[in-house]
Amino acid sequence: MRGCATIRPIWTVVFCLSICTSAFAQLNETPKEVDGLGVEEHLNEQLPLDTKFTDDRGQVIRLGDYFDGKRPVILSLNYSNCPMLCQQQLNGLVMTLSGMEESVGKDFQVVSISIDPREPHQRAAQTRLRYYQDYDRPGTADGWHFLVGTDKSILKVAKATGFQFRYVPERKEYAHNAVLMLCTPDGRISRYIYGVQFDEPTLRLSLVEASEGKIGTTMDQIILTCFMYDETAGRYGPQAVKIMQLGAFTTIVCLAVGLFPFWVLRRRTSSPRSDNSNQAGRHAPTQAT
């Protein structure tokens, strides 16, 4: 009886471990709805700027209307009725943007295209209002754009960006990934940033890079020369060679600045001596032989 009593706790532990292992395995499995979906990066690809959409005010516009040749654009493909992923992504974006000195509308634009062709512009207007209010920065309303469109228009942009998605009828949802596309002022894709939470320095430097130097500080430009985007980490990492080159250049400049006054002072002190010796030589009496 004692042997049976000892075995029971052991079997209980084994049973619990098997359940936990099975649960973790299920969590790590890729849901079948998103199986095979991903993002095929098309860096430097020109977006179809002539593609027509309807904005959140019901006006028919061209995608190119938001690319003015001066400011970069943060582009995302979402939809308002997404139960979780889209909301988490946009929440994370707004949270990061709120901590940046640069402002939506002034320094860059935010454009979100709905992948649901049934979404009306009134629903897009509600979504835009929500995130604009969450951003809570006066004077930036003109920088937020939530667009709806036809299947043809949506698929045209999705193909250009490499964004893959699929409608799941049994769940009445769209399966897709969370990704932001940083675009240049003339409508080319500069950088992809994945996830629902965004590192502020990475997003800021990506905007500086996408703007081709039109925004950002001098220090941002220096940082970009020394840091390279690490796709595996999803952020900018240092380039050792460039850091060494910058360090050597900085050292030379500091030495030159520090030694310049010494060189000037030495030249000034040595000049009178040479002049006096020359004058003494000219006025010295000649001795008879």
Side-chain angles (χ1 to χ4, degrees):
M1 295 295 292
R2 289 182 179 178
C4 293
T6 305
I7 291 174
R8 284 179 183 175
I10 296 175
W11 277 109
T12 302
V13 172
V14 172
F15 178 70
C16 291
L17 287 174
S18 64
I19 292 177
C20 292
T21 302
S22 176
F24 280 117
Q26 291 178 0
L27 287 174
N28 290 326
E29 287 179 358
T30 303
K32 64 179 182 179
E33 290 83 4
V34 297
D35 188 29
L37 296 180
V39 178
E40 184 180 342
E41 295 192 0
H42 295 165
L43 292 174
N44 207 36
E45 180 90 5
Q46 181 69 55
L47 294 172
L49 301 182
D50 289 332
T51 308
K52 292 183 178 181
F53 291 94
T54 301
D55 67 10
D56 44 75
R57 294 174 294 179
Q59 302 293 323
V60 177
I61 54 88
R62 294 168 53 256
L63 181 61
D65 292 341
Y66 304 115
F67 293 84
D68 58 6
K70 299 177 181 178
R71 294 171 293 181
V73 174
I74 299 178
L75 175 66
S76 69
L77 278 76
N78 307 101
Y79 69 107
S80 296
N81 291 330
C82 182
M84 182 177 294
L85 187 59
C86 296
Q87 297 180 29
Q88 295 297 323
Q89 182 187 24
L90 292 173
N91 287 341
L93 174 62
V94 170
M95 183 181 298
T96 302
L97 293 180
S98 297
M100 291 172 51
E101 182 178 351
E102 294 80 6
S103 293
V104 176
K106 177 184 176 182
D107 300 298
F108 56 91
Q109 304 264 31
V110 175
V111 177
S112 178
I113 298 175
S114 174
I115 59 176
D116 184 358
R118 300 166 300 175
E119 181 174 329
H121 75 271
Q122 294 89 344
R123 182 72 176 91
Q126 294 173 356
T127 305
R128 172 188 172 277
L129 180 61
R130 171 190 170 183
Y131 290 107
Y132 167 65
Q133 291 177 339
D134 288 346
Y135 186 55
D136 193 24
R137 191 175 295 189
T140 62
D142 292 338
W144 297 89
H145 311 282
F146 286 76
L147 313 179
V148 297
T150 62
D151 275 313
K152 183 178 180 181
S153 297
I154 296 169
L155 290 174
K156 195 170 182 180
V157 174
K159 182 178 180 181
T161 58
F163 182 86
Q164 301 172 0
F165 64 97
R166 179 189 302 131
Y167 182 66
V168 184
E170 56 270 22
R171 302 186 61 172
K172 297 181 180 180
E173 299 174 8
Y174 286 87
H176 62 92
N177 290 279
V179 60
L180 297 177
M181 280 77 71
L182 281 295
C183 305
T184 62
D186 61 353
R188 291 175 291 108
I189 302 173
S190 173
R191 180 71 57 209
Y192 291 78
I193 302 180
Y194 298 88
V196 296
Q197 294 183 340
F198 306 99
D199 179 61
E200 188 272 337
T202 296
L203 184 59
R204 179 171 51 82
L205 289 176
S206 296
L207 281 168
V208 173
E209 184 182 47
S211 73
E212 299 174 336
K214 293 183 176 66
I215 68 172
T217 64
T218 302
M219 183 56 65
D220 290 332
Q221 300 298 329
I222 294 175
I223 291 174
L224 277 177
T225 62
C226 295
F227 284 73
M228 182 177 182
Y229 189 78
D230 185 352
E231 295 181 358
T232 59
R235 63 181 62 192
Y236 286 87
Q239 290 183 342
V241 175
K242 288 193 174 182
I243 289 179
M244 292 174 64
Q245 291 175 344
L246 181 62
F249 176 76
T250 304
T251 302
I252 293 173
V253 171
C254 291
L255 286 173
V257 171
L259 293 175
F260 182 74
F262 172 76
W263 289 335
V264 173
L265 181 62
R266 182 178 180 183
R267 185 171 182 178
R268 287 179 178 177
T269 55
S270 61
S271 296
R273 293 180 181 178
S274 59
D275 293 341
N276 292 335
S277 62
N278 292 335
Q279 292 177 4
R282 285 195 296 267
H283 294 291
T286 304
Q287 295 182 356
T289 55

